[in-house]
Amino acid sequence: MSKSGTFDLASGVGGKIEKKEVLSAFEKYEKYHACDGEAEEERKANYIDMVNKYYDLATSFYEYGWGESFHFAPRWKGESLRESIRRHEHFLALQLGLKQGQKVLDVGCGIGGPLREIAGFSGTYVTGINNNEYQVTRGKELNRIAGVDNTCNYVTADFMRMPFADDSFDGIFAIEATCHAPDVFDCYKEIFRVLKPGQYFANYEWCITDFFDPNNANHRRIKRQVELGNGLPDIRSMGQCIEALKHAGFEIIWDKDIAIDSPLPWYLPLDKSHFSLSNVRVTVFGRFFTRNMVKILERVGLAPEGSQKVQAILEQAADALVEGGKEGIFTPMYFFLARKPSAN
């Protein structure tokens, strides 16, 4: 179902950005991640532009290497990456206690891989909200191919200011998406507003762990490279997320860093020392092949100028994620289940 070829990857680089503007868009995106406090404030103030540029530039690479669900998952021995991702999505749906026919919201839905999986698994109607026009267009096409237009749909909007009435949804989930929010409290507060009383919000959040030392230069470098390569304004701690949830009005049902119990490391698909026949494209060999194909395609004009630069920061980000995982200072799957109190 997903785009699978290198030519498809090359043709998709830049998303809705004019192909001749890809390089300048990359350079502007890169400036958001200059190594100073002022740049961090600019990232937060201009997060819509920053995140849109990131996903216009990176989505084609994501789909090429990762499939339709752009997230990690705990993984059992003998389990494929795709199988672990599906199980991770089913776990979230079960935690929400979804029932057939309910209306569910996916906050920051990407191209809709989890949205389609959870809708089919739970028999619910799932709406995805995403401020990236290219990803929404791609998601609608994948919905059409899968024949799920009746149960899955999209709204192009900012999840910090959602165009939904209060108490609209029977359940809400987010998978590695609210990390893009410039202010986590305002994000959770908006989710609280559109969730029906007595219902649940489940999230996999990107966080730094208690092992992160802000005085450690190597830790700061890893964090900065993860932010640059993943379109993030800042990476928050688990404690900051919990406090923001409580402040927004949620009851915390339970929370845990799911990565801790994973039999195989969550970062294994990105680890250059690991080889997998089931996902060759993210191995050292796969990266080498893609890097050189993109180089050739850019040189002959089939891929826009700047494509190689996009791939380079994504490779750098992948290496930083592996480092962060091995150091134990970062997790992409801090899970929490929170409930909006009943109206009475």
Side-chain angles (χ1 to χ4, degrees), residues 1-9 63-64 138 281:
M1 188 180 296
S2 291
K3 291 181 180 179
S4 58
T6 310
F7 284 97
D8 290 320
L9 182 158
E63 190 176 351
Y64 174 79
R138 180 64 184 145
R281 289 172 176 174

Side-chain angles (χ1 to χ4, degrees), residues 23 46 49 94 211 253 257 266-267 300 316 330 335:
L23 179 59
N46 298 283
D49 183 60
L94 291 169
F211 293 104
I253 305 303
D257 179 5
W266 61 264
Y267 53 81
V300 300
Q316 185 182 66
F330 171 78
F335 175 83

Side-chain angles (χ1 to χ4, degrees), residues 3 12 14-18 48-49 51-57 59 109-112 128-142 154-158:
K3 291 181 180 179
K16 291 290 185 178
I17 300 171
E18 290 288 336
I48 291 179
D49 183 60
V51 173
N52 261 299
K53 279 185 169 54
Y54 174 77
Y55 278 113
D56 273 332
L57 293 166
T59 293
C109 62
I111 61 172
I129 186 168
N130 189 336
N131 66 18
N132 185 266
E133 186 181 348
Y134 174 69
Q135 287 197 332
V136 169
T137 299
R138 180 64 184 145
K140 288 178 178 178
E141 173 64 10
L142 292 171
Y154 301 88
V155 172
T156 306
D158 178 8

Side-chain angles (χ1 to χ4, degrees), residues 17-32:
I17 300 171
E18 290 288 336
K19 300 306 180 185
K20 63 183 180 181
E21 301 294 332
V22 166
L23 179 59
S24 62
F26 172 82
E27 290 170 345
K28 183 173 181 181
Y29 170 77
E30 199 172 33
K31 286 179 181 178
Y32 282 129

Side-chain angles (χ1 to χ4, degrees), residues 3 29-30 34 88 101 106 112 127 155 184 195 203 206 211 234 239 250 257 277 292 296 306-307 309 320 326:
K3 291 181 180 179
Y29 170 77
E30 199 172 33
H88 198 50
D106 179 356
T127 296
V155 172
V184 69
L195 180 64
N203 191 4
W206 281 32
F211 293 104
D234 189 21
F250 282 106
D257 179 5
L277 284 173
N292 282 281
I296 292 168
S307 297
K309 291 181 179 291
K326 289 181 175 180

Side-chain angles (χ1 to χ4, degrees), residues 113-342:
L115 181 158
R116 285 182 290 276
E117 185 67 37
I118 288 175
F121 177 74
S122 62
T124 53
Y125 297 93
V126 186
T127 296
I129 186 168
N130 189 336
N131 66 18
N132 185 266
E133 186 181 348
Y134 174 69
Q135 287 197 332
V136 169
T137 299
R138 180 64 184 145
K140 288 178 178 178
E141 173 64 10
L142 292 171
N143 280 6
R144 185 191 63 77
I145 293 170
V148 295
D149 287 328
N150 292 333
T151 57
C152 302
N153 70 298
Y154 301 88
V155 172
T156 306
D158 178 8
F159 62 52
M160 300 296 289
R161 294 179 291 275
M162 293 191 275
F164 307 121
D166 295 355
D167 308 335
S168 291
F169 293 96
D170 300 300
I172 298 178
F173 67 88
I175 303 179
E176 302 182 24
T178 53
C179 51
H180 292 294
D183 184 287
V184 69
F185 164 68
D186 288 342
C187 176
Y188 294 164
K189 186 178 179 181
E190 183 68 351
I191 289 169
F192 183 92
R193 180 184 69 80
V194 302
L195 180 64
K196 291 181 180 179
Q199 300 303 107
Y200 296 90
F201 167 43
N203 191 4
Y204 294 121
E205 187 74 78
W206 281 32
C207 289
I208 53 173
T209 72
D210 293 340
F211 293 104
F212 178 81
D213 179 1
N215 297 315
N216 184 312
N218 191 46
H219 287 189
R220 293 197 307 272
R221 175 191 60 81
I222 293 170
K223 179 175 179 287
R224 188 168 61 246
Q225 288 180 349
V226 171
E227 290 166 350
L228 168 64
N230 293 279
L232 305 179
D234 189 21
I235 305 176
R236 305 168 186 100
S237 70
M238 294 181 279
Q240 286 175 306
C241 292
I242 285 296
E243 286 306 308
L245 279 169
K246 292 177 180 176
H247 189 37
F250 282 106
E251 299 172 350
I252 313 303
I253 305 303
W254 72 282
D255 69 293
K256 184 177 181 178
D257 179 5
I258 301 293
I260 291 174
D261 294 331
S262 179
L264 295 175
W266 61 264
Y267 53 81
L268 195 64
L270 300 179
D271 191 343
K272 291 189 291 188
S273 65
H274 175 73
F275 181 78
S276 169
L277 284 173
S278 65
N279 206 26
V280 174
R281 289 172 176 174
V282 296
T283 64
V284 172
F285 172 79
R287 287 198 206 179
F288 176 81
F289 173 79
T290 305
R291 188 184 311 124
N292 282 281
M293 281 301 297
V294 170
K295 182 178 181 179
I296 292 168
L297 291 169
E298 183 174 331
R299 184 172 294 173
V300 300
L302 293 176
E305 186 181 5
S307 297
Q308 293 177 78
K309 291 181 179 291
V310 176
Q311 188 190 26
I313 66 160
L314 293 177
E315 284 201 32
Q316 185 182 66
D319 293 339
L321 286 167
V322 172
E323 284 188 87
K326 289 181 175 180
E327 290 279 329
I329 64 172
F330 171 78
T331 178
M333 55 186 84
Y334 172 56
F335 175 83
F336 59 75
L337 180 67
R339 179 178 177 270
K340 180 174 178 176
S342 299

